[in-house]
Amino acid sequence: MDATFQKNFRKKLLDWYQKHKRDLPWRRSRDPYAIWVSEIMLQQTQVATVIPYYERFLKKFPTIAALARAEEEEVLALWAGLGYYRRAKLLQRGARAVAERHGGRLPDDPEALRELPGIGPYTAGAIASIAFRRPSPLVDGNVVRVLSRVFARKGHAKDARLQKEIWALAADLVDPTQPGDFNQALMELGATLCRVALPSCERCPVQGLCAARRGGEPEAYPESPPPQKTLRLQRAAAVALRGESVLLVKPRAARWFQGLWGLPHEYCAEAPATEAALGECLRSHLGLALLRPQALPATTHAITQHRITTWAWSGEAQGRLKAAGPYEEARFFTKKELAGVALPNFDRKVLAAAKLI
DNA sequence: TATGCGTGGGG
DNA sequence: TCCCCAAGCAT
């Protein structure tokens, strides 16, 4: 890469970042653990969504040792609503691995970081550069977009060949003296100006260095992949009550939300058949029947390419509760307990329709 | 290598 | 309303 270009790009980007960077909680910390937590939460998740979760998480688990000691369910309960729950499990496994293998301190080099559960190429580069000032590159969705535009590189965002090119460009560009700021600046630029649609090229600090800007079609980079087909599913769920408490179950194997609590439910081909399927599920696996079931307003929820409509019935639970078949655990939770349980938004919406939360 | 995994905001 | 997709990783 041309040395003058490299120098110009770094300076313009870093100057812009110093002036325009957002004040984010993890940017106030120099604790590698805090930066680790933020990077895991930020995977595929927008900044505004992460902030309250980040604050609560660090308050409850302020150190690697505290996180390593915790029960997995406590960690999941704090993560509930943030999505991609595997991240929480892997983060905690990572904390345990650091406690065992590294004496409780995060290693500072990307290869060692990469060995830890939940840390892939992006996160290893982020922690190494931001927390330890190592000159490691990183590539996320923002960086692919920014650099594919600056260098007018063809290909879909997740295409392996383009990814490889972008990693090489990021490695050439990363500023050796302020790698953390440089990497964050690249992502900040992608998040705020160099957006997917309607980029603000006129305010961009590197517009004079951008090939896509010169070509007049910045939005053409990166190319968008063929659209995913959405699938529609119908689901029946039971809000089984015992006084003020509601029944939650933990399935042994679940398509989604493995290891989290949820309402007893069945998937079915069409909406009208749902109540019957649900009754059989309650009877055979949980030993219960719903007395005088009341239909609740249907709720909808999207999980990746799935669009799921839930038809729920609430009623007093009759019978002696057991957990059998697909269910590993089943128990009634009071209203107060519901607030602190690892229950995803998928079923929180149903409980909201039942006016229980 | 392709796919599955959550959720909320914006166009 | 509906679709897109955002500081990715594991399998």
Side-chain angles (χ1 to χ4, degrees):
Chain A
M1 185 177 295
D2 178 66
T4 308
F5 179 94
Q6 196 180 42
K7 192 176 153 195
N8 266 338
F9 188 92
R10 287 174 182 162
K11 173 145 180 44
K12 286 177 189 299
L13 188 64
L14 283 166
D15 286 349
W16 170 83
Y17 181 67
Q18 286 313 325
K19 203 165 159 193
H20 295 284
K21 67 178 174 187
R22 291 169 290 179
D23 177 24
L24 303 175
W26 43 91
R27 288 186 177 158
R28 296 180 169 199
S29 176
R30 299 251 47 217
D31 178 7
Y33 165 67
I35 292 164
W36 180 16
V37 171
S38 75
E39 289 302 338
I40 300 299
M41 288 189 170
L42 285 161
Q43 288 170 6
Q44 300 289 281
T45 310
Q46 292 174 343
V47 164
T49 307
V50 166
I51 290 174
Y53 285 89
Y54 171 84
E55 309 269 23
R56 262 183 290 155
F57 197 92
L58 279 188
K59 202 164 178 183
K60 179 93 176 264
F61 307 117
T63 62
I64 290 176
L67 180 57
R69 274 196 304 270
E71 295 289 329
E72 184 182 270
E73 188 145 332
E74 287 182 90
V75 180
L76 286 171
L78 229 56
W79 207 274
L82 193 56
Y84 286 135
Y85 298 97
R86 196 161 48 186
R87 293 182 296 177
K89 300 180 195 177
L90 293 172
L91 175 60
Q92 196 199 15
R93 278 187 229 164
R96 288 180 173 165
V98 170
E100 288 164 17
R101 310 209 288 252
H102 299 285
R105 300 171 73 103
L106 265 177
D108 67 355
D109 93 284
E111 284 72 35
L113 287 164
R114 185 71 185 74
E115 300 292 313
L116 294 168
I119 297 187
Y122 162 80
T123 308
I127 296 172
S129 64
I130 299 169
F132 298 112
R133 299 176 188 250
R134 300 272 306 234
S136 315
L138 59 74
V139 172
D140 74 333
N142 290 304
V143 176
V144 170
R145 189 167 58 256
V146 170
L147 296 185
S148 69
R149 286 174 179 173
V150 170
F151 297 97
R153 289 293 198 274
K154 302 264 186 206
H156 301 318
K158 297 198 173 171
D159 173 76
R161 196 177 55 78
L162 178 63
Q163 285 276 334
K164 199 174 169 188
E165 285 184 28
I166 301 295
W167 272 97
L169 291 167
D172 272 351
L173 282 171
V174 64
D175 188 279
T177 61
Q178 304 177 70
D181 281 347
F182 179 88
N183 284 335
Q184 291 186 85
L186 218 41
M187 295 189 284
E188 189 89 345
L189 187 68
T192 60
L193 300 184
C194 195
R195 296 177 300 255
V196 176
L198 300 175
S200 297
C201 296
E202 68 289 347
R203 287 191 281 151
C204 177
V206 294
Q207 54 175 289
L209 301 171
C210 182
R213 165 77 162 161
R214 279 196 297 280
E217 285 193 67
E219 289 185 55
Y221 304 90
E223 297 166 53
S224 39
Q228 286 268 355
K229 196 169 151 189
T230 62
L231 304 168
R232 290 172 198 288
L233 298 176
Q234 304 291 332
R235 183 178 77 129
V239 177
L241 301 168
R242 185 152 282 170
E244 288 278 282
S245 296
V246 61
L247 176 65
L248 296 181
V249 297
K250 201 185 273 187
R252 287 178 210 290
R255 177 174 193 176
W256 293 298
F257 314 116
Q258 180 63 49
L260 280 78
W261 292 93
L263 293 169
H265 66 269
E266 287 281 320
Y267 285 92
C268 33
E270 292 174 38
T274 53
E275 193 185 351
L278 185 61
E280 179 52 30
C281 159
L282 284 175
R283 207 162 28 249
S284 57
H285 305 316
L286 297 164
L288 298 178
L290 271 194
L291 188 65
R292 290 189 294 278
Q294 302 267 322
L296 294 166
T299 56
T300 59
H301 191 74
I303 302 176
T304 58
Q305 74 268 43
H306 304 273
R307 303 290 174 267
I308 304 154
T309 303
T310 299
W311 308 88
W313 284 265
S314 72
E316 187 69 18
Q318 299 280 297
R320 176 194 288 269
L321 178 64
K322 61 171 184 176
Y327 298 124
E328 185 182 338
E329 283 184 74
R331 85 176 176 85
F332 287 90
F333 288 76
T334 64
K335 272 190 173 185
K336 197 179 235 174
E337 287 175 315
L338 284 179
V341 72
L343 179 72
N345 282 0
F346 191 25
D347 282 331
R348 285 191 183 273
K349 286 182 180 177
V350 179
L351 293 182
K355 303 195 190 305
L356 287 167
I357 53 176

